[in-house]
Amino acid sequence: MQKITRGSALVVLSLALCGASVGIAQTVEDEIKAVGLAWEEAYNAGDVDGVVAVHAEDAVVMPPGFPAVVGIDAVRADAEAFFSEYSTDHAMKIQNILVEGDIAIEWAEYTDILTPKAGGDPIEDAGKHIVVYRRGDDGDWKILKAIWNPTPAE
């Protein structure tokens, strides 16, 4: 029977850890999808802090038919006002993510049901969006720009 020496045990442990890290390593696309998922979970929960957390300080959000929302303070104020009026059920399907250095562009299609908190019929929306992400000095991806528009009913 062969004895396991301290050196061979370290080699085995190192190989095991390397193999484990390969299995959990994220691609840049996975990191961006995680930010989008965090946004969607916060949005569906009406979580203002969660929505704000995934935006860059200099974010610009461009909703259809409204003025641009510029800067993190405006993003917070907009989310507070929106969530005071509506609960949401949003789902998106990412079509493509293009990454160039510290910038990434996501194209997705979405469905959204906005339910007025004051009562009334839900508003159904479906469309597409472009979200531009920027990787910060800390390595985290944040939403830099977002624009969306509804797909016309057929």
Side-chain angles (χ1 to χ4, degrees):
M1 182 188 315
Q2 220 175 14
K3 258 184 153 178
I4 296 181
T5 65
R6 183 179 177 143
S8 61
L10 286 175
V11 169
V12 170
L13 179 61
S14 295
L15 290 172
L17 289 175
C18 287
S21 67
V22 169
I24 62 169
Q26 286 190 315
T27 66
V28 170
E29 289 83 4
D30 291 335
E31 293 173 13
I32 291 162
K33 288 176 183 176
V35 175
L37 180 60
W39 173 87
E40 189 168 70
E41 288 175 354
Y43 179 79
N44 283 335
D47 176 4
V48 172
D49 291 335
V51 168
V52 171
V54 297
H55 285 81
E57 288 290 321
D58 54 344
V60 178
V61 178
M62 297 165 277
F66 292 93
V69 177
V70 180
I72 199 72
D73 292 337
V75 169
R76 176 176 293 284
D78 186 65
E80 287 171 347
F82 181 80
F83 293 138
S84 72
E85 294 183 35
Y86 298 99
S87 60
T88 61
D89 183 8
H90 185 278
M92 70 176 158
K93 181 178 180 188
I94 296 172
Q95 300 297 316
N96 183 269
I97 296 174
L98 171 67
V99 180
E100 289 293 329
D102 289 337
I103 298 292
I105 302 167
E106 171 191 276
W107 163 43
E109 295 175 337
Y110 70 87
T111 59
D112 201 1
I113 300 171
L114 309 177
T115 303
K117 290 183 175 179
D121 293 333
I123 302 163
E124 294 187 26
D125 183 24
K128 59 259 178 222
H129 78 229
I130 294 287
V131 176
V132 178
Y133 297 86
R134 180 178 60 206
R135 184 173 23 213
D137 293 338
D138 60 1
D140 289 343
W141 290 92
K142 301 277 184 163
I143 297 170
L144 179 63
K145 311 276 191 233
I147 188 167
W148 66 97
N149 57 38
T151 301
E154 294 181 15

